[in-house]
Amino acid sequence: MIITVLQKSADIYQTGGKLDPSGFEQQITFQTYVPPVDLAPFINHFWTIRWNNTTGQPYISEQVMHRPYVDVYLSAHESGIQCTFRDKRDYEAADDGRIIGARFKPGAFHAFWRRSLAGLHNETIALQQVFAEAGQTFIENTLSLPDDAAVGALAEMLQAQNPQYDPNIEIINRIIAAIETERLQTVGDVAQWVGKSDRWLQQLFQDYIGIGIKWQLQRNKLLDAAKFIRECDQPDWADMAYDLGYSSQQHFITDFKRVFGKTPLQYKKELGFQASE
C-alpha cells in the first residue's frame, strides 16, 4: 500500500481568529501541511493539533472567532465536519490529544457538499454524510499513522470525491481578500468592487458560505479591532470606532460585546493591560 505523505508548510500559519494568540501557543502545538496540487483550489491547508496538558485542569480556550471556513477533522474523541460558526467558540484541551484536519477555502466545501450551505452555520455534521468511506475503521486507521501520513490519508479521501473547478469559489476568495485588504465596509462597497448586485452577493454567500456577506463584513471589523487592541498600548476607542466604519463609539462597543461577550476595555484588561474606555 502506498501512503501519501504531505509536506509541512514552510510558513507558520497565523490566524486572525485567535483572540489570545500567546495563550494558544503556550498550550497547543499546531502544524500545517501544503495540499496536493489537485486540491489546492479547494483546500487552504491540512493541519494537526496536539496538546499535552499535565496540570490536571482542562485548558479552556475561548480565543477562536471563526472566519468563513469549513473544517473536516478526525480525532479519537470526535470526528466530523465543522461548518462556519457565527460567533466566538470555546474549545477544551484536557489530558493529551491530537486532531487531524483539513481547512477548506471559503466557499470551497460547496464542491463536495454540492448543494446550498444555507442553514448549516453553527453545525457540525457527520463525516459519512459527505464521505461514505469515512467510517470508524477509516478514522482509527488514519489516526494510527504519523501526522504527515495521516494528513496524506485525509487528502486521499478528499481526492476520491473528484471535486470540480467552480469559478464562484475563486470569486468568493477574491471578495474576502478585498474586504480584508481594501477596507471594503458595506455590501454596496463590495457590490461595486465586484460589479454585481447586492442581491447576487447575498445569495452567493448564503449558498457557498451558509451566512450572508454582512456577517463577513462585521467579522472582519471585529477581528481587526481585536488585533489592534492586542497590539496597541493605549487604544483610542473613538478613533478605532471611526476607522472601522462605526457611526459612534457606543455602537462599536455594543457590537464588540455582543459577539465577544465583553467590552473592548474588558478584553484589553484580560490580556494584562489597564486602559480607560
Side-chain angles (χ1 to χ4, degrees), residues 27-122:
Q27 303 286 345
I28 305 294
T29 301
F30 183 62
Q31 177 64 56
T32 60
Y33 296 78
V34 179
V37 172
D38 59 337
L39 290 179
F42 311 100
I43 301 298
N44 198 327
H45 56 261
F46 290 85
W47 53 266
T48 60
I49 290 178
R50 287 180 176 272
W51 65 92
N52 185 10
N53 188 344
T54 59
T55 66
Q57 298 294 325
Y59 167 61
I60 306 295
S61 166
E62 58 173 17
Q63 61 203 23
V64 179
M65 189 164 105
H66 286 268
R67 286 172 148 178
Y69 295 120
V70 171
D71 285 275
V72 169
Y73 64 95
L74 310 177
S75 76
H77 174 65
E78 179 188 12
S79 301
I81 303 167
Q82 178 178 278
C83 301
T84 300
F85 272 73
R86 291 183 64 93
D87 299 313
K88 175 173 62 67
R89 195 178 184 204
D90 297 345
Y91 291 89
E92 178 177 313
D95 302 321
D96 55 18
R98 171 197 188 214
I99 308 174
I100 308 295
R103 168 152 292 183
F104 291 83
K105 291 184 176 180
F109 185 63
H110 188 276
F112 295 79
W113 184 248
R114 298 187 176 98
R115 53 191 184 275
S116 175
L117 271 72
L120 287 183
H121 63 272
N122 292 354

Side-chain angles (χ1 to χ4, degrees), residues 7-19:
Q7 176 186 352
K8 290 183 179 180
S9 299
D11 298 326
I12 297 174
Y13 177 70
Q14 299 291 341
T15 174
K18 296 176 187 171
L19 304 182

Side-chain angles (χ1 to χ4, degrees), residues 187-223:
V187 175
D189 291 342
V190 179
Q192 184 176 13
W193 182 87
V194 79
K196 297 287 187 178
S197 69
D198 292 12
R199 183 176 180 179
W200 184 88
L201 277 173
Q202 292 283 15
Q203 192 63 54
L204 178 70
F205 271 68
Q206 285 286 352
D207 288 344
Y208 280 74
I209 304 294
I211 307 177
I213 192 172
K214 289 182 179 179
W215 173 87
Q216 173 64 36
L217 290 163
Q218 185 205 49
R219 200 64 10 158
N220 189 67
K221 284 183 182 182
L222 294 178
L223 287 170

Side-chain angles (χ1 to χ4, degrees), residues 118-258:
L120 287 183
H121 63 272
N122 292 354
E123 294 288 336
T124 298
I125 59 179
L127 281 174
Q128 289 188 294
Q129 281 192 247
V130 181
F131 309 103
E133 68 275 30
Q136 192 59 34
T137 298
F138 170 82
I139 293 170
E140 290 175 358
N141 289 343
T142 300
L143 293 174
S144 71
L145 300 171
D147 287 356
D148 50 4
V151 295
L154 185 55
E156 291 174 358
M157 183 188 79
L158 300 182
Q159 288 168 321
Q161 297 292 308
N162 191 29
Q164 299 299 303
Y165 171 76
D166 184 340
N168 283 338
I169 297 172
E170 185 176 346
I171 291 171
I172 287 169
N173 281 268
R174 286 175 52 222
I175 289 171
I176 290 173
I179 289 171
E180 295 184 347
T181 60
E182 300 192 28
R183 309 290 290 180
L184 304 178
Q185 295 182 337
T186 68
V187 175
D189 291 342
V190 179
Q192 184 176 13
W193 182 87
V194 79
K196 297 287 187 178
S197 69
D198 292 12
R199 183 176 180 179
W200 184 88
L201 277 173
Q202 292 283 15
Q203 192 63 54
L204 178 70
F205 271 68
Q206 285 286 352
D207 288 344
Y208 280 74
I209 304 294
I211 307 177
I213 192 172
K214 289 182 179 179
W215 173 87
Q216 173 64 36
L217 290 163
Q218 185 205 49
R219 200 64 10 158
N220 189 67
K221 284 183 182 182
L222 294 178
L223 287 170
D224 281 350
K227 182 175 185 291
F228 186 81
I229 291 168
R230 292 195 301 270
E231 295 176 352
C232 181
D233 288 342
Q234 294 284 352
D236 185 312
W237 307 117
D239 284 351
M240 186 184 301
Y242 176 79
D243 289 344
L244 292 171
Y246 283 96
S247 58
S248 69
Q249 178 178 337
Q250 188 56 51
H251 185 194
F252 162 58
I253 293 171
T254 300
D255 238 13
F256 194 96
K257 185 176 181 180
R258 179 175 56 81

